[in-house]
Amino acid sequence: MTIHLRVIAMLYVTNIMISDKKNTWKNSKLTGHIGALITVVCWGCSFIASKVLMEGACMTPVEVYVYRFFLAYLMMLVFTFRELRSKSWTDELQMALCGICSGTLYFLMENYALMYTSTGNVSLISSVSPIFIAILLAIIYKTRMRLGEMIGSVVAFAGVALVIMSESISKGLGMEIHPIGDILALSCAFSWAVYSIAIKRLIPLYNTLFLTRKLFFYGLVTSLPLLLIQKEPLHIGILFDFSHPIFLLNLLFLAVMCSSMAYLLWNESMKIIGPLATNNYLYFQPPVTMFAGCLLLGETIYPFGYVGCALVLLGLVVADKMKK
């Protein structure tokens, strides 16, 4: 009898230790950093997948966005169908704000900005969202940005600028200014910052799956009218042309990896390491796109591009390690 009690006690203690380790791993800062990094890698590659659909399948930017998030919403619904409403109308409205800012406004302003200015300008200007987030945190939550975060952000932003303008610098070309497109890109960065701040209060209150599904729902609801009124015909039929599976595969990549998984990891990372530290990883997006373009599309990487990547990495390390 004593032996059995000892065995049971040992099993109980072991179970507690394993549970503690799981919880420690789940809530550790390393987990948050890894989640943010994986997300940015997916988002950095998403530009290429979207380009395949828009140029190869002739889809409009609105089509790509709606199809992508509709599939992602269905996947989220499978896991959270028992819980449909939030705890209060205040939370529901805040979720709607997050869905509109992180979905409809962000992607549409980004796509329309590309019509008026260069891809480099859009990538560079939209990457300033961590700066907007720091400002909004200071205004709303009365937080103070650490010196290391400020230095790290500046260094990382300089790295992003070098990555984006590496070709222009190598060829002796300058960066052109196009007011309409550049303002849209800046608005895009601000929209993402609003989402990052608005979701900060909701993250501790709700399951990440449920919260992500809500974002997709409100993003879809506000973008469907734009799809219905567009003059171009819908190209959904090409997704079922299995003689060209590349289009369906690229859409699935956008829906599964860049939407469902990426947003889940991103929201979980913001819960663990905070919105500012998580969003600093957005500086990694242009370097990821640069390397993906080289590997998948055969695009050239210029020397300043490598220097820029090193600065981005240095900036993230400085922001994380300098505590004062």
Side-chain angles (χ1 to χ4, degrees), residues 214-283:
K214 280 290 187 179
L215 302 187
F216 293 161
F217 172 76
Y218 285 111
L220 278 172
V221 167
T222 52
S223 61
L224 273 175
L226 299 174
L227 181 66
L228 296 176
I229 65 173
Q230 73 171 20
K231 296 180 180 180
E232 295 85 351
L234 300 180
H235 302 85
I236 193 170
I238 200 169
L239 297 172
F240 301 98
D241 181 3
F242 296 108
S243 62
H244 298 87
I246 186 172
F247 301 124
L248 180 60
L249 290 174
N250 276 277
L251 182 64
L252 288 175
F253 171 72
L254 289 173
V256 178
M257 301 298 292
C258 302
S259 297
S260 297
M261 187 197 75
Y263 273 78
L264 282 173
L265 288 175
W266 194 255
N267 290 334
E268 196 66 28
S269 294
M270 284 201 289
K271 181 187 295 187
I272 297 171
I273 61 176
L276 186 57
T278 302
N279 279 275
N280 275 338
Y281 276 89
L282 290 176
Y283 291 128

Side-chain angles (χ1 to χ4, degrees), residues 47-49 51-52 289-300:
F47 289 103
I48 295 173
K51 187 175 181 180
V52 170
T289 304
M290 179 184 71
F291 282 108
C294 176
L295 294 173
L296 301 176
L297 302 178
E299 296 177 348
T300 304

Side-chain angles (χ1 to χ4, degrees), residues 117-318:
T117 189
S118 66
T119 304
N121 282 26
V122 174
S123 299
L124 179 61
I125 296 171
S126 63
S127 68
V128 303
S129 56
I131 298 174
F132 281 133
I133 290 170
I135 294 172
L136 290 177
L137 281 172
I139 294 173
I140 298 172
Y141 290 99
K142 309 300 181 183
T143 60
R144 189 176 64 178
M145 193 174 182
R146 299 197 312 260
L147 178 61
E149 289 174 333
M150 289 189 286
I151 295 174
S153 293
V154 171
V155 173
F157 183 74
V160 170
L162 275 180
V163 169
I164 293 169
M165 296 189 293
S166 59
E167 181 178 2
S168 299
I169 295 172
S170 299
K171 295 181 178 180
L173 304 174
M175 183 178 178
E176 297 181 355
I177 297 175
H178 303 279
I180 296 177
D182 294 342
I183 290 173
L184 281 172
L186 195 63
S187 302
C188 177
F190 184 76
S191 176
W192 187 265
V194 171
Y195 148 68
S196 300
I197 298 301
I199 204 170
K200 177 180 170 63
R201 186 185 70 85
L202 298 172
I203 284 176
L205 304 178
Y206 293 93
N207 179 278
T208 307
L209 280 167
F210 172 79
L211 199 54
T212 305
R213 193 203 76 208
K214 280 290 187 179
L215 302 187
F216 293 161
F217 172 76
Y218 285 111
L220 278 172
V221 167
T222 52
S223 61
L224 273 175
L226 299 174
L227 181 66
L228 296 176
I229 65 173
Q230 73 171 20
K231 296 180 180 180
E232 295 85 351
L234 300 180
H235 302 85
I236 193 170
I238 200 169
L239 297 172
F240 301 98
D241 181 3
F242 296 108
S243 62
H244 298 87
I246 186 172
F247 301 124
L248 180 60
L249 290 174
N250 276 277
L251 182 64
L252 288 175
F253 171 72
L254 289 173
V256 178
M257 301 298 292
C258 302
S259 297
S260 297
M261 187 197 75
Y263 273 78
L264 282 173
L265 288 175
W266 194 255
N267 290 334
E268 196 66 28
S269 294
M270 284 201 289
K271 181 187 295 187
I272 297 171
I273 61 176
L276 186 57
T278 302
N279 279 275
N280 275 338
Y281 276 89
L282 290 176
Y283 291 128
F284 250 127
Q285 191 167 292
V288 169
T289 304
M290 179 184 71
F291 282 108
C294 176
L295 294 173
L296 301 176
L297 302 178
E299 296 177 348
T300 304
I301 299 179
Y302 295 88
F304 281 106
Y306 292 107
V307 177
C309 289
L311 285 177
V312 170
L313 183 59
L314 176 62
L316 291 176
V317 171
V318 168

Side-chain angles (χ1 to χ4, degrees), residues 15-26:
N15 183 56
I16 292 175
M17 291 175 65
I18 292 173
S19 299
D20 288 343
K21 286 182 178 180
K22 286 182 178 179
N23 291 331
T24 301
W25 165 249
K26 183 179 179 181

